[in-house]
Amino acid sequence: MKSSLKKFIKHFGVLVIGILCMSAGVALSKLSLLGTSPISSIPNVISNITAIPIGQLTIAFIFILVLLEAIVLRRQFSWQNLLQLIPGSLFGWFIDAFVRFFHSLPNQTYIEQLGLVLMGTVLLSLGVFLEVNSHAIIMPGEGLPNAIALMHQLKFAKVKVYNDFILIGISLVLALSFTHSVAGVREGTLIATFLTGRLVNFFTEHANRFVDWMTPAADANN
């Protein structure tokens, strides 16, 4: 019993820390005014159009992603897939909390904005690294590409790349249609797109002890 509780605290504790890092990263990118990561690009653009907080829109977007996952998986969709709504909702709630917390950070000059993007991307990448290695609940941002890859026997990494560019494309269409500009989908989005995967790989290579400690096999040996 104690062993199971320790495993639960270990894996879900790391997941929550990962969500905190990802949320802080998105909040910094939002405040940079240069665009956010692909998964947050649609909520970010709609937030710019409607003034609805990006975190609230992220939660709504998470529900849409899980619904699409259910459509893709059909009979293979289960209550376990619905659990993705829990970390997804926390992700959105924390984004708004961090936007309020970081709102006084300087973002008037381009250098300051770029600095926020880079800090946000590092935090986002660290959060993704922790989320993946928590082996707890997959986030909806990975859940949908994973479902598509599973049902069509494709490589997850390839589907994830296409998924990211589709999200960016939709964001651009929304921005151009309603604001006649690329506000919300700028160079910050491209920086996050191309750096996040590389930084996650960097953390994985340089934190192999942590990765080994978090594997289910390590739990079985304890």
Side-chain angles (χ1 to χ4, degrees):
M1 187 69 177
K2 288 184 179 180
S3 176
S4 297
L5 180 60
K6 285 174 65 177
K7 292 176 186 176
F8 179 87
I9 293 173
K10 169 184 170 182
H11 291 283
F12 281 87
V14 170
L15 174 63
V16 171
I17 294 171
I19 293 172
L20 283 168
C21 290
M22 288 189 291
S23 302
V26 171
L28 287 171
S29 297
K30 168 68 176 174
L31 293 170
S32 76
L33 307 177
L34 297 181
T36 63
S37 63
I39 191 63
S40 300
S41 59
I42 292 178
N44 186 40
V45 170
I46 297 177
S47 178
N48 290 342
I49 296 168
T50 63
I52 298 173
I54 183 176
Q56 293 181 25
L57 290 167
T58 297
I59 293 173
F61 186 58
I62 291 299
F63 275 77
I64 293 172
L65 289 178
V66 174
L67 176 61
L68 291 174
E69 190 176 337
I71 293 172
V72 170
L73 289 175
R74 290 172 289 184
R75 292 182 180 179
Q76 293 190 39
F77 187 83
S78 70
W79 65 269
Q80 292 177 319
N81 299 96
L82 285 175
L83 290 177
Q84 296 173 26
L85 295 173
I86 299 174
S89 297
L90 283 175
F91 179 53
W93 188 87
F94 283 135
I95 289 174
D96 281 345
F98 278 117
V99 167
R100 292 190 295 270
F101 182 76
F102 292 137
H103 80 279
S104 60
L105 289 176
N107 65 346
Q108 301 304 308
T109 69
Y110 187 74
I111 295 299
E112 291 170 345
Q113 293 172 344
L114 195 59
L116 291 176
V117 166
L118 293 175
M119 286 190 293
T121 302
V122 171
L123 278 172
L124 176 66
S125 304
L126 177 59
V128 172
F129 165 75
L130 292 172
E131 176 228 329
V132 170
N133 285 284
S134 71
H135 299 288
I137 303 174
I138 189 172
M139 291 285 285
E142 284 75 47
L144 178 58
N146 186 61
I148 295 172
L150 176 68
M151 296 301 290
H152 296 280
Q153 298 182 340
L154 300 170
K155 291 184 178 180
F156 170 77
K158 187 174 183 179
V159 176
K160 185 70 169 65
V161 170
Y162 283 120
N163 179 75
D164 286 349
F165 280 104
I166 289 172
L167 294 178
I168 293 172
I170 294 172
S171 303
L172 279 171
V173 170
L174 289 171
L176 290 171
S177 299
F178 289 94
T179 69
H180 305 291
S181 70
V182 292
V185 199
R186 290 179 52 187
E187 54 268 46
T189 302
L190 295 178
I191 290 171
T193 301
F194 290 107
L195 281 187
T196 299
R198 290 170 173 79
L199 287 172
V200 171
N201 289 335
F202 173 83
F203 290 131
T204 302
E205 291 172 2
H206 292 80
N208 43 24
R209 287 187 180 181
F210 174 79
V211 173
D212 292 341
W213 179 64
M214 289 301 300
T215 58
D219 292 333
N221 293 330
N222 290 334

